[in-house]
Amino acid sequence: MASKPKTSSQANGLYLPVDSFRGNNSEECTTFIQAIREAAWAEGKLRDAAWMADLASLYFSSKAMSWHAKLPVEVRQDWFKLEVALVDRWAPADEGDEFTQPVPAVAPKTSGADRNDGVMHGVLKAIPDDSQATPSYVQPGSLKYALMGDRETALR
């Protein structure tokens, strides 16, 4: 099997290695992008999107090669578009974008014995929007809750 072509910087002894990109994780992706940029810089091709895309195409392997082959031609032939596609596919989410699993609230104690436990205690009072209606208290029923006027039997 033929070896990959050497850049002129490699021929002059300034070897800038570009390892194959297999598509294993975000760290490998970041290293690959940096290696392509460094090789382009050493060649004076940092602004040559087609040259950089062609160089990168030599180093895709495994699942990254399959992914690359399925990209639209205009992405495969333009490093700046290819770089965005790589980041979209393999880079980790920004810290601000990370999903935070909500923590459920602690249920209040069922015992009413300790009123200094930091939990607010009281009754549920329903106040209608209609200023003519009388406020009611929520009371537990057999299958559903009811609104009644008796504060003593209200849900606590």
Side-chain angles (χ1 to χ4, degrees), residues 3-137:
S3 63
K4 293 187 172 77
K6 291 187 175 192
T7 63
S8 61
S9 59
Q10 291 170 333
N12 293 329
L14 299 172
Y15 183 72
L16 295 171
V18 177
D19 294 328
S20 290
F21 177 60
R22 298 175 54 82
N24 291 327
N25 56 47
S26 62
E27 185 177 332
E28 181 191 23
C29 179
T30 300
T31 301
F32 178 70
I33 290 171
Q34 289 172 331
I36 296 297
R37 288 178 180 175
E38 287 172 5
W41 180 82
E43 292 296 313
K45 302 278 189 180
L46 196 54
R47 296 185 190 273
D48 188 339
W51 186 91
M52 293 175 74
D54 289 345
L55 177 65
S57 71
L58 300 172
Y59 296 97
F60 286 106
S61 66
S62 190
K63 60 185 169 187
M65 180 182 283
S66 299
W67 170 82
H68 181 260
K70 295 173 188 173
L71 290 173
V73 173
E74 62 271 9
V75 175
R76 288 185 304 191
Q77 294 178 347
D78 182 331
W79 169 252
F80 305 112
K81 292 177 183 176
L82 179 57
E83 185 178 27
V84 170
L86 282 161
V87 170
D88 284 347
R89 172 63 180 87
W90 279 284
D94 291 336
E95 287 185 27
D97 293 343
E98 288 183 22
F99 176 74
T100 303
Q101 181 68 32
V103 178
V106 177
K109 294 179 182 176
T110 56
S111 167
D114 184 7
R115 291 292 178 173
N116 295 324
D117 57 7
V119 177
M120 293 180 66
H121 298 275
V123 296
L124 293 177
K125 183 177 185 179
I127 303 173
D129 287 338
D130 182 6
S131 62
Q132 301 294 329
T134 306
S136 301
Y137 297 94

